[in-house]
């Protein structure tokens, strides 16, 4: 194989951020909400699972060894979504995004030929968004990670227009990775908060970007949706039908919703080779990138093997394995 293998969905844990927010007003309430949404059984599993993975999440040497074992040349590293802290006030939010960007950049600088990084955006404070993006880029990061929404704001909110404009101008990557689900206690058993909640949040967030016309106004945005975009790509026909038959559904965007899938990027983490083949079909082989959710248990230990199971053509396999991400990140094979 002569092309790079690039994983666009890998995380880093930043103890500095958690030390910063420890004991601040709002943190306890946010943790209580997260506990209600996940339920006690999920929390009992989550703690030991994360603790066992801390070396891979924090130690670059351990990370690189794990990447070698997976056959991954480059990771795009994003902070754990637990670091979003969208409850934080404006002053705290600014400290969080600065510390997260600087810590992620430091982590990646230990292996600059193999690690690229992303910063954070405090979506709860839209007027900080452009400043946060600029700070991330100043650290040498490739862009920023965002959730599916902030309290009281969807991604279609006009307050985010300056962010979309600046991200388009700078060609920054926007990695869309949900954290939490607003279906709340309906999903507090059997880990439904993640298995159902995450793909739901992906679908809702992408639908806001599509139906509101954000992608019409900013066609050059480089959005990568985690978890294969959730439920939306495989159920996009329903969106097309609504757009075609209802005036309220079709008022905000200029084209069929399915056409916008070819303006977005998606990771390959769907846990089903048939679903991955469908994602490649509807989005295009040039719009899907390898993703593992490294190193969490809802990811895959063998992202290349999971991709191979989809039985794509050789050209499409190579594009998803690394060609598409290498172009996004301006990577070259030395």
């Amino acid at each position: 194989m002569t092309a790079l293998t690039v994983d666009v969905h890998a995380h880093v844990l930043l103890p500095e951020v958690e030390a910063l927010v420890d004991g601040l007003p709002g943190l306890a309430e946010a943790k209580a909400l997260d506990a209600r949404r996940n339920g006690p059984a999920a929390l009992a599993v989550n703690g030991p699972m994360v603790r066992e993975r801390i070396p891979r999440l924090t130690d670059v040497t351990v990370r690189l060894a794990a990447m070698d074992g997976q056959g991954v040349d480059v990771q795009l590293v994003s902070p754990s979504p637990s670091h979003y802290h969208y409850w934080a006030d404006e002053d705290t939010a600014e400290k969080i995004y600065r510390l997260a960007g600087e810590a992620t950049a430091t982590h990646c600088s230990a292996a600059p030929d193999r690690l690229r990084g992303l910063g954070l955006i405090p979506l709860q404070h839209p007027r900080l968004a452009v400043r946060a993006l600029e700070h991330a880029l100043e650290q040498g990061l490739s862009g920023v990670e965002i959730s599916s929404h902030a309290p009281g704001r969807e991604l279609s909110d006009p307050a985010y227009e300056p962010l979309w404009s600046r991200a388009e101008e700078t060609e920054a990557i926007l990695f869309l990775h949900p954290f939490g689900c607003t279906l709340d206690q309906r999903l507090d058993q059997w880990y439904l908060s993640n298995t159902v909640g995450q793909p739901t949040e992906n679908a809702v967030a992408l639908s806001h970007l599509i139906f509101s016309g954000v992608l019409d106004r900013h066609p050059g945005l480089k959005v990568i949706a985690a978890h294969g975009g959730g439920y939306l790509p495989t159920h996009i026909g329903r969106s097309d039908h609504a757009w075609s038959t209802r005036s309220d559904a079709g008022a905000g965007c200029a084209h069929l919703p399915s056409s916008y899938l070819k303006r977005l990027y998606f990771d390959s983490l769907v846990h089903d080779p048939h679903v991955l083949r469908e994602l490649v079909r509807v989005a295009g082989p040039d719009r899907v990138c390898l993703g593992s959710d490294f190193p969490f248990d809802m990811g895959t230990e063998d992202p290349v093997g999971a991709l191979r199971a989809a039985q794509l053509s050789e050209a499409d396999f190579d594009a998803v394995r690394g060609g598409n991400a290498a172009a996004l990140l301006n990577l070259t094979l030395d």
Side-chain angles (χ1 to χ4, degrees):
M1 295 188 297
T2 57
L4 292 169
T5 298
V6 184
D7 180 357
V8 301
H9 186 170
H11 293 299
V12 60
L13 200 63
L14 306 173
E16 304 95 324
V17 172
E18 298 314 297
L20 172 68
V21 302
D22 186 39
L24 291 181
L27 178 60
E29 183 179 352
K31 286 186 173 180
L33 175 60
D34 187 55
R36 291 196 301 273
R37 286 174 167 173
N38 283 278
L43 294 181
V45 174
N46 286 350
M49 182 272 294
V50 173
R51 285 194 293 272
E52 188 273 330
R53 287 162 171 78
I54 285 177
R56 281 173 282 174
L57 283 161
T58 58
D59 187 319
V60 174
T61 301
V62 176
R63 178 186 297 275
L64 295 177
M67 290 168 60
D68 290 341
Q70 294 178 342
V72 170
D73 299 305
V74 178
Q75 280 185 349
L76 179 60
V77 179
S78 51
S80 168
S82 61
H83 297 318
Y84 287 153
H85 295 303
Y86 288 167
W87 53 269
D89 62 28
E90 195 167 289
D91 288 343
T92 303
E94 182 156 14
K95 293 175 183 176
I96 290 170
Y97 81 67
R98 287 183 173 276
L99 186 55
E102 292 159 11
T104 301
T106 297
H107 184 85
C108 294
S109 69
D113 58 332
R114 302 197 64 184
L115 303 177
R116 296 290 188 274
L118 298 173
L120 293 180
I121 293 284
L123 286 181
Q124 76 275 33
H125 300 298
R127 78 185 198 94
L128 296 181
V130 171
R131 193 187 312 170
L133 173 62
E134 297 283 6
H135 180 265
L137 298 178
E138 289 166 2
Q139 306 310 306
L141 300 174
S142 300
V144 290
E145 179 184 29
I146 60 174
S147 191
S148 55
H149 69 289
R153 293 187 187 273
E154 300 292 347
L155 297 186
S156 55
D157 194 312
Y160 295 129
E161 281 294 312
L163 172 62
W164 310 140
S165 293
R166 189 60 181 144
E168 186 176 30
E169 290 169 2
T170 58
E171 299 186 336
I173 288 173
L174 301 171
F175 183 49
L176 174 57
H177 189 303
F179 182 70
C181 180
T182 51
L183 291 174
D184 294 329
Q185 286 95 321
R186 291 188 63 204
L187 304 183
D188 67 356
Q189 299 182 74
W190 311 300
Y191 206 38
L192 297 181
S193 57
N194 189 296
T195 58
V196 172
Q198 294 286 293
T200 298
E201 287 292 328
N202 276 112
V204 172
L206 293 175
S207 295
H208 272 274
L209 291 176
I210 291 170
F211 280 96
S212 68
V214 167
L215 299 180
D216 288 318
R217 294 187 294 276
H218 307 285
L221 279 180
K222 294 183 176 181
V223 177
I224 304 176
H227 317 124
Y231 296 128
L232 189 66
T234 52
H235 290 73
I236 195 68
R238 190 170 181 86
S239 298
D240 283 353
H241 181 79
W243 184 89
S244 300
T245 59
R246 293 184 57 93
S247 59
D248 54 335
C253 58
H255 308 287
L256 274 174
S258 59
S259 68
Y260 295 93
L261 299 184
K262 299 183 184 299
R263 302 189 190 186
L264 298 163
Y265 292 89
F266 303 88
D267 79 5
S268 62
L269 188 66
V270 294
H271 299 292
D272 185 320
H274 303 289
V275 174
L276 181 51
R277 286 181 65 86
E278 179 64 6
L279 175 61
V280 170
R281 185 187 72 82
V282 298
D286 60 332
R287 291 284 163 168
V288 182
C289 302
L290 193 72
S292 72
D293 199 4
F294 177 94
F296 292 113
D297 61 350
M298 284 301 289
T300 174
E301 295 282 350
D302 183 13
V304 177
L307 174 60
R308 188 173 291 112
Q311 297 183 332
L312 303 175
S313 71
E314 183 177 355
D316 291 355
F317 176 84
D318 284 339
V320 176
R321 177 172 59 84
N324 298 332
L328 272 173
L329 295 168
N330 297 313
L331 301 175
T332 57
L333 185 66
D334 294 331

